[in-house]
C-alpha cells in the first residue's frame, strides 16, 4: 500500500488529521488496533476549547456538536462549602467552552472520513514503524492475520500513551519527564437531569469532586479516590453518599439516578521531548499526558494536529520544511503551558493527605485568591478556554489553518 501520510491511531488526533489533510487534497491511511464500536464507545473527555470548536466547525464536522453540545460561559469553584463563579466569558473577552463528549467527536469524524472515502483500517495488530529516518518511511502491520506494509512520505504517531510510535524514537534522542499524582478519578455516568448549569470543581476535606454533564438526560461526575482503589469497592450507594458529603451545600443536594457506567483512572503528567524524529511526528497523548483537571488533553491533541497539518501542507505546496523542522519546538512551547495549568489545577483542587496543616492552609488561600482577585481569575479563565495558537512567522489563528 502507498499513501502520503501514514497515521497510527484513530483517536481525535489521528481522525482529525486525516480529515484536515483530505480537505487539503492530501492522502492518508489510518491504522487503528481497536474496532469502530470500541473507539466510538470509550467514555473520556467532555470539554472542548473555543479553538477546538471553531476548527471542527470550519472543517465541516461540527453540525451535531452545535446541536447537541452545550456552551458554558463559566465554571464554579467550591471550597469551604461555598461556590464561587469564574465568569470566563467576561474575563476572556467573550470566549467560552463547549461540553460535548469525545466519543461523539469520534463518531462525527469516523462518519465523515468514511463518507469521503477515507481509508480507516480497524482491528489491525502488530504495528511497527520503519525507515522513518529516510524519505520513504514504512509501517508494517497485520490485518486479519495477514502481514501488510504501507510506504508513505510521513508517519503521524497518533496512537496514544501506550502506542508504538513514541517507543520507536531511539531512547538516546528523546527525554521523557513525568509526574505521577497520588490521586485517581472515579468517573460515573448517571441518568439524571443536569444538576447545575455549569461545571462545579470542588475542593473538600474528604477529596476533590467534579460535577459535569453530557446531555439533558446523562450527567458525568468524578470523585477523587486512591488511584490503586478497585471499582468493585464502590457500590452505587457508596458513590452517592460520598458525592453528597463533598458537593452538597446549605441550599444544594445532588440529584441521584441510576449509574450506567463507572471506572477509576490514575493521573499523571508526562511529556516527551522531542516530538519528532526524521519523518515521524508524534501528536496528542502519544507525546504528552495531562491530568484531566484542566480539561486539556483532547484540546492539545487538536493543536498539535494543526501545526503538523500546516507543516505537511507547506511541504507539498512548496517543498519547504520550515514548519516541519520546528514542529516539536512549536508544539512543546504551548504544551508546557498547558502542563503548567493542568498541574496547578490538580494541586490546587485535590486533597493531598501528605500535606501539613500549613500546606492545606496555603491551598485554601490560593482558591480564595482565585475566587476573589480579578487578575487571578483571569489567569485561570484564559488558560481554561485555551491559549492562542502561535506558529512563528505565520498567520496562525485556528481558522486560518484551513486556508493555508
Ligand atoms: P487517544 O484518544 O488515546 O487515541 C489513540 C488511538 O490509538 C490507538 N492505538 C493504536 N492503533 C494501532 N496500533 C497500535 N499499536 C495502537 N495503540 C493505540 C488507540 O486504540 C486509540 O484509538 O489519543 P489522542 O488522539 O491523542 O487523543 C487524546 C485524548 O483522547 C485525551 O487527551 C483526552 O481524553 C483527555 N481528557 C480530556 N481532554 C480534554 O481536552 N478535555 C476533557 O474534558 C478531558 N477529560 C480526559 C478527560 C481523559 C480522561 N481519561 C479517561 C484519562 C477525562 C478523563 C477521565
Ligand atoms: C468531563 O466532563 O468529562 C470533564 C469535565 C471537566 C474536566 C475533566 C473532564 O476537567
Amino acid at each position: 500500500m502507498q499513501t502520503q501520510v501514514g497515521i497510527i491511531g484513530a483517536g481525535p488526533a489521528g481522525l482529525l488529521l486525516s480529515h484536515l489533510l483530505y480537505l487539503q487534497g492530501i492522502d492518508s491511511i489510518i491504522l487503528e488496533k481497536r474496532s469502530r464500536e470500541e473507539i466510538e464507545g470509550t467514555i473520556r473527555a467532555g470539554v472542548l476549547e473555543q479553538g477546538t470548536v471553531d476548527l471542527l466547525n470550519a472543517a465541516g464536522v461540527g453540525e451535531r456538536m452545535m446541536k447537541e453540545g452545550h456552551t458554558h460561559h463559566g465554571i464554579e469553584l467550591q471550597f469551604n462549602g461555598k461556590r464561587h463563579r469564574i465568569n470566563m466569558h467576561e474575563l476572556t473577552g467573550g470566549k467560552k467552552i463547549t461540553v460535548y463528549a469525545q466519543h461523539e467527536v469520534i463518531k462525527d469524524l469516523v462518519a465523515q472520513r468514511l463518507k469521503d472515502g477515507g481509508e480507516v483500517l480497524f482491528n489491525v495488530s502488530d504495528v511497527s514503524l520503519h525507515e522513518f529516518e529516510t524519505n520513504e518511511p514504512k509501517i508494517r502491520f497485520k490485518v486479519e492475520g495477514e502481514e501488510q506494509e504501507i510506504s508513505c512520505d510521513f508517519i503521524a504517531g497518533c496512537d496514544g500513551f501506550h502506542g508504538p510510535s513514541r517507543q520507536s524514537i531511539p531512547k538516546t534522542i528523546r527525554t521523557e519527564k513525568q509526574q505521577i499524582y497520588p490521586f485517581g478519578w472515579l468517573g460515573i455516568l448517571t441518568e439524571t437531569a443536569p444538576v447545575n448549569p455549569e461545571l462545579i470543581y470542588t475542593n473538600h476535606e474528604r477529596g476533590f469532586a467534579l460535577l459535569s454533564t453530557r446531555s439533558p438526560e446523562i450527567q458525568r461526575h468524578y470523585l477523587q479516590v486512591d488511584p490503586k482503589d478497585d471499582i468493585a469497592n464502590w457500590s452505587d450507594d457508596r458513590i452517592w453518599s460520598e458525592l453528597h458529603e463533598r458537593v452538597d451545600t446549605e441550599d444544594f443536594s445532588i440529584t441521584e439516578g441510576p449509574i450506567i457506567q463507572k471506572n477509576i483512572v490514575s493521573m499523571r503528567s508526562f511529556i516527551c521531548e522531542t516530538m519528532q524524529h526524521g519523518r515521524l511526528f508524534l501528536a496528542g497523548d502519544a507525546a504528552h499526558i495531562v491530568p484531566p483537571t484542566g480539561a486539556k488533553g483532547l484540546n492539545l491533541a487538536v493543536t498539535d494536529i494543526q501545526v503538523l497539518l500546516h507543516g505537511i501542507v507547506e511541504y507539498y505546496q512548496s517543498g519547504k520544511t520550515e514548519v516541519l523542522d520546528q514542529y516539536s519546538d512549536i508544539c512543546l512551547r504551548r504544551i508546557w503551558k498547558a502542563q503548567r495549568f493542568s498541574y496547578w489545577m490538580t494541586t490546587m483542587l485535590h486533597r493531598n493527605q501528605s500535606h501539613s496543616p500549613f500546606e492545606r492552609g496555603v491551598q485554601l488561600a490560593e482558591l480564595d485568591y482565585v475566587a476573589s482577585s480579578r487578575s487571578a481569575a483571569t489567569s485561570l479563565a484564559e488558560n481554561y478556554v485555551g491559549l492562542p495558537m502561535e506558529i512563528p512567522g505565520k498567520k496562525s489563528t485556528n481558522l486560518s489553518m484551513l486556508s493555508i
Side-chain angles (χ1 to χ4, degrees), residues 43-47 99 185 199 201 208 210-214 220-222 291-296 345 384:
I43 309 297
R44 293 184 84 175
V47 173
V99 180
W185 272 21
L199 273 57
Y201 290 81
F208 168 79
L210 168 60
L211 305 186
S212 181
T213 182
R214 282 294 178 272
R220 177 78 165 148
H221 306 319
Y222 298 97
T293 332
K296 287 279 155 272
M345 287 284 278
Y384 197 91

Side-chain angles (χ1 to χ4, degrees), residues 166 169-178 270-277 282 286-289 327-329 331-337 339:
R166 185 179 67 257
I169 299 182
K171 274 203 171 126
T172 47
I173 287 168
R174 65 188 147 98
T175 307
E176 299 185 344
K177 297 174 183 163
Q178 77 167 341
F270 171 89
I271 190 157
C272 176
E273 295 173 323
T274 175
M275 290 172 60
Q276 67 189 96
H277 183 53
L282 305 178
H288 42 78
I289 297 286
Y327 169 74
S328 183
D329 291 345
C331 291
L332 284 169
R333 204 170 152 219
R334 190 171 181 282
I335 291 159
W336 268 114
K337 290 185 197 131
Q339 289 284 9

Side-chain angles (χ1 to χ4, degrees), residues 258-271:
I259 294 180
I260 52 173
Q261 207 252 4
K262 55 181 170 185
N263 70 338
I264 294 178
V265 294
S266 58
M267 288 168 88
R268 76 172 81 219
S269 298
F270 171 89
I271 190 157

Side-chain angles (χ1 to χ4, degrees), residues 66-255:
M66 295 317 283
K67 259 196 241 132
E68 297 174 20
H70 292 268
T71 54
H72 292 201
H73 286 188
I75 56 168
E76 299 205 60
L77 299 179
Q78 182 171 316
F79 54 96
N80 290 334
K82 297 250 171 335
R83 296 237 189 109
H84 307 263
R85 180 160 190 262
I86 307 289
N87 187 338
M88 297 180 310
H89 194 252
E90 193 216 333
L91 293 167
T92 61
K95 292 195 181 149
K96 49 198 187 289
I97 52 125
T98 297
V99 180
Y100 184 63
Q102 176 167 332
H103 67 282
E104 303 295 346
V105 175
I106 297 271
K107 282 186 206 165
D108 297 341
L109 286 168
V110 170
Q112 189 66 44
R113 277 290 50 222
L114 298 179
K115 189 172 154 212
D116 292 334
E119 270 194 89
V120 189
L121 305 183
F122 294 103
N123 300 308
V124 306
S125 66
D126 301 277
V127 171
S128 59
L129 296 78
H130 306 269
E131 296 171 51
F132 49 82
E133 284 158 339
T134 73
N135 289 346
E136 226 180 290
K138 314 257 183 310
I139 310 174
R140 299 201 185 107
F141 61 100
K142 280 191 188 159
V143 61
E144 290 170 2
E146 208 176 295
E147 279 196 36
Q148 303 269 5
E149 183 179 275
I150 295 178
S151 291
C152 48
D153 298 331
F154 301 101
I155 300 179
C158 303
D159 44 1
F161 184 66
H162 300 287
S165 297
R166 185 179 67 257
Q167 311 292 345
S168 303
I169 299 182
K171 274 203 171 126
T172 47
I173 287 168
R174 65 188 147 98
T175 307
E176 299 185 344
K177 297 174 183 163
Q178 77 167 341
Q179 173 87 14
I180 308 272
Y181 301 89
F183 318 130
W185 272 21
L186 187 167
I188 63 163
L189 283 178
T190 176
E191 284 173 336
T192 56
V195 294
N196 196 56
E198 292 174 343
L199 273 57
I200 306 170
Y201 290 81
T202 300
N203 178 317
H204 186 273
E205 205 49 47
R206 298 175 64 89
F208 168 79
L210 168 60
L211 305 186
S212 181
T213 182
R214 282 294 178 272
S215 68
E217 297 83 29
I218 309 256
Q219 310 316 314
R220 177 78 165 148
H221 306 319
Y222 298 97
L223 279 172
Q224 174 188 347
V225 297
D226 185 324
K228 292 188 211 80
D229 206 343
D230 187 340
I231 193 68
N233 295 328
W234 287 86
S235 66
D236 293 3
D237 280 352
R238 184 175 172 209
I239 292 172
W240 286 119
S241 144
E242 196 58 40
L243 277 166
H244 280 298
E245 289 273 357
R246 297 188 195 182
V247 305
D248 284 3
T249 60
E250 257 173 29
D251 44 20
F252 171 85
S253 176
I254 188 169
T255 316

Side-chain angles (χ1 to χ4, degrees), residues 7-10 14-15 18 28-32 113 119-121:
I7 300 176
I8 308 172
L15 286 164
S18 179
S28 65
I29 299 177
I30 305 182
L31 301 176
E32 167 58 51
R113 277 290 50 222
E119 270 194 89
V120 189
L121 305 183

